[in-house]
């Protein structure tokens, strides 16, 4: 975050009365300085953040979802101060933007933003101008009372365009939106995650090394994890289910090679029982 080539940590302080994000600047030896707090507004509930250079100045900036204010907040890294004044963009009345992801959706080499608007039942696309500002959002419906709360991007049909997948907590589905490369999307297909599953988080990666994009979905309601292997045309094979801890209520996950065997593994946060769970891939 401060261009010293040492990795830092950014965290959204969900429910914090100060309404801020915290940056823990790394020292390069595995330890970090005490968090520096940066305001995202007054009485704001920040549910998700992403890091990217939105104004092309070589410095990483922050976008945050201000869920209860129905806005996204941009904090640009300043030359003299850590971050300048926040700038907000509306995600719509009663939208409750819950999750955010960054990519270039229209191939103009300027970063764009996509949000999952949980109460408006849509995803919003904010096309960037490359100077830290964004156009008004385009909206794509995810279905009545779907409550989308997680979003991710990838190339699901091998056309070299950015596609989007969203997890609909209340409908127990994930939906694939194919991108045209001009900022527009079309709904291709939705997949069931199971009755009462409440999908809570979704991420992408090539888990089986076949150069196709796969999906991993955490199901908070039934305490399991789904892996959907990509076919390469935007569709996915039948989900494979992995059970997690009883009543674990997992809300987030990530992938990485944790045992240095060249295969991607999965780590899941189990909210109710206050532990993380690691699933090692064996082949």
């Amino acid at each position: 975050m401060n261009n010293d080539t040492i990795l830092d940590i950014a965290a959204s302080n969900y429910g914090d009365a100060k309404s801020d994000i915290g940056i823990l600047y790394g020292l390069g030896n595995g330890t970090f300085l005490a968090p520096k707090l940066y305001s995202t507004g007054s009485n704001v509930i920040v549910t998700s953040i992403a890091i990217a250079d939105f104004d092309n100045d070589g410095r990483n900036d922050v976008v945050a979802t201000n869920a209860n204010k129905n806005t996204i907040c941009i904090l640009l890294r300043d030359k003299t101060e850590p971050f300048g004044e926040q700038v907000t963009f509306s995600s719509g009345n009663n939208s409750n933007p819950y999750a955010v992801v960054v990519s270039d959706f229209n191939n103009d080499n300027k970063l764009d933003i996509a949000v999952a608007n949980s109460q408006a039942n849509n995803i919003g696309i904010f096309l960037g101008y490359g100077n830290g500002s964004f156009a008004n959002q385009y909206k794509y419906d995810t279905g009545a009372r779907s409550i989308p709360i997680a979003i991710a991007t990838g190339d699901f049909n091998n056309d070299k365009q950015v596609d989007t997948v969203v997890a609909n907590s209340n409908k127990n589905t994930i939906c694939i939106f194919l991108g045209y490369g001009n900022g527009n999307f079309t709904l291709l297909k939705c997949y069931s995650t199971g009755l009462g599953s409440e999908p809570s988080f979704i991420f992408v990666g090539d888990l089986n090394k076949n150069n196709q994009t796969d999906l991993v979905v955490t199901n908070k309601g039934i305490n399991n994890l789904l892996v959907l292997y990509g076919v390469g045309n935007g569709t996915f094979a039948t989900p494979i289910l992995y059970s997690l801890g009883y009543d674990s209520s997992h809300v987030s996950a990530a992938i990485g090679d944790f045992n240095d065997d060249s295969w991607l593994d999965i780590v899941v946060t189990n909210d109710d029982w206050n532990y993380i769970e690691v699933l090692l891939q064996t082949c």
Side-chain angles (χ1 to χ4, degrees), residues 38-280:
Y38 303 99
S39 175
T40 56
S42 177
N43 299 315
V44 171
I45 297 176
V46 180
T47 52
S48 178
I49 61 174
I51 308 298
D53 181 7
F54 296 120
D55 56 355
N56 292 312
D57 65 353
R59 292 183 288 268
N60 276 325
D61 312 306
V62 178
V63 56
T65 54
N66 294 342
N68 62 324
K69 297 293 186 178
N70 304 313
T71 62
I72 62 170
C73 164
I74 307 295
L75 293 171
L76 296 179
R77 185 83 191 186
D78 207 340
K79 292 181 179 179
T80 56
E81 297 293 332
F83 290 98
E85 287 291 322
Q86 60 153 329
V87 179
T88 60
F89 298 88
S90 173
S91 55
N93 292 335
N94 301 314
S95 56
N96 195 3
Y98 199 85
V100 63
V101 67
V102 176
S103 190
D104 181 5
F105 299 123
N106 58 347
N107 291 318
D108 64 354
N109 296 314
K110 300 169 184 176
L111 289 177
D112 311 309
I113 294 170
V115 294
N117 291 318
S118 62
Q119 293 304 308
N121 302 306
N122 62 44
I123 59 174
I125 305 296
F126 295 83
L127 297 180
Y129 294 125
N131 59 359
S133 63
F134 295 82
N136 292 335
Q137 74 169 343
Y138 295 93
K139 294 178 288 186
Y140 295 89
D141 186 52
T142 57
R145 298 182 296 279
S146 54
I147 308 184
I149 65 169
I151 190 169
T153 62
D155 181 5
F156 304 137
N157 59 345
N158 292 326
D159 65 352
K160 301 187 186 303
Q161 308 300 337
V162 180
D163 309 310
T164 301
V165 57
V166 62
N168 297 316
S169 176
N170 196 49
K171 286 293 186 179
N172 305 312
T173 60
I174 61 168
C175 293
I176 308 298
F177 290 83
L178 295 183
Y180 291 112
N182 59 0
N184 294 321
F185 294 82
T186 186
L187 174 63
L188 175 67
K189 185 176 181 178
C190 293
Y191 293 86
S192 173
T193 53
L195 184 64
S197 56
E198 298 179 36
S200 56
F201 199 81
I202 188 167
F203 57 92
V204 303
D206 182 8
L207 296 177
N208 56 353
K209 299 183 181 180
N210 68 346
N211 296 316
Q212 305 298 338
T213 303
D214 310 313
L215 304 177
V216 178
V217 183
T218 58
N219 288 323
K220 180 180 179 181
I222 53 179
N223 307 310
N224 66 29
L225 178 146
L226 296 180
V227 176
L228 295 84
Y229 290 105
V231 177
N233 61 359
T235 65
F236 295 83
T238 302
I240 299 174
L241 184 151
Y242 297 90
S243 294
L244 299 175
Y246 171 74
D247 200 25
S248 52
S249 185
H250 35 280
V251 295
S252 182
I255 58 175
D257 181 8
F258 302 128
N259 58 350
D260 289 327
D261 64 354
S262 80
W263 291 94
L264 289 175
D265 310 306
I266 300 171
V267 59
V268 183
T269 60
N270 293 329
D271 186 47
D272 281 0
W273 289 101
N274 305 315
Y275 65 87
I276 63 172
E277 191 166 352
V278 177
L279 291 80
L280 297 178

